[in-house]
Amino acid sequence: MNAVTVQELAEQVGTERVSDWVEVTQAMIDRFAQATGDDQFIHVDPVRAAATPFGGTIAHGFLLLSLMPMLSQRTGTPPIAGVRMGVNYGGNKVRFVQPVRSGARVRGRFTLLKLVERKPGVWEHVQEYTLEVEGQDKPALIAEWIALLYV
């Protein structure tokens, strides 16, 4: 895939890209629980979680948010020429709309909202990230996320 310049990417504000589907496995959830220390039973104990309104274990909201870079790479977005690094700057909005059960498949839908040069060589990249759950009408997560791109 051919690289694009930041100026060319800035002309694509409003465009949307969609990733492929990825399964959220119990092993993934367990590893996230171990890494973060969030081992609440609704995430890691299938027997106890089955008795909750969720009907089984669910992924951590922050696990779903952390899937954003991987899913973004799976959209086919071309690389940006000359970018030395990109860093997370933060979110304007993050909403966990509905839980994601272990074994569900999710995909990311990304809409470029803004790409502007903040100062020479530093670009503010703002996108909306919607995490869809296969077979569900409502998304699991909606976030407006900001990254800084250093060219």
Side-chain angles (χ1 to χ4, degrees), residues 21-74:
W21 293 102
V22 172
E23 182 180 357
V24 178
T25 65
Q26 188 61 50
M28 183 188 298
I29 294 168
D30 291 343
R31 287 192 306 271
F32 191 84
Q34 290 170 351
T36 62
D38 182 354
D39 59 357
Q40 186 178 174
F41 80 93
I42 60 173
H43 303 303
V44 298
D45 187 336
V47 174
R48 287 180 63 199
T52 69
F54 304 125
T57 56
I58 60 170
H60 306 73
F62 287 116
L63 167 59
L64 302 175
L65 186 62
S66 72
L67 294 176
M68 185 175 14
M70 183 250 312
L71 293 173
S72 180
Q73 289 177 353
R74 293 180 176 203

Side-chain angles (χ1 to χ4, degrees), residues 116-136:
V116 296
E117 194 169 25
R118 292 178 76 178
K119 62 183 182 181
V122 180
W123 290 74
E124 181 178 320
H125 178 273
V126 182
Q127 66 182 349
E128 182 178 78
Y129 166 51
T130 303
L131 187 70
E132 299 176 331
V133 183
E134 189 174 43
Q136 302 289 321

Side-chain angles (χ1 to χ4, degrees), residues 40-115:
Q40 186 178 174
F41 80 93
I42 60 173
H43 303 303
V44 298
D45 187 336
V47 174
R48 287 180 63 199
T52 69
F54 304 125
T57 56
I58 60 170
H60 306 73
F62 287 116
L63 167 59
L64 302 175
L65 186 62
S66 72
L67 294 176
M68 185 175 14
M70 183 250 312
L71 293 173
S72 180
Q73 289 177 353
R74 293 180 176 203
T75 63
T77 301
I80 305 168
V83 171
R84 293 177 291 134
M85 69 176 173
V87 296
N88 284 320
Y89 188 67
N92 288 331
K93 178 178 119 176
V94 177
R95 297 292 182 267
F96 302 108
V97 181
Q98 74 165 331
V100 173
R101 291 274 311 271
S102 174
R105 290 181 0 133
V106 297
R107 71 178 176 188
R109 184 173 296 275
F110 299 86
T111 303
L112 181 60
L113 300 177
K114 176 179 167 183
L115 184 60

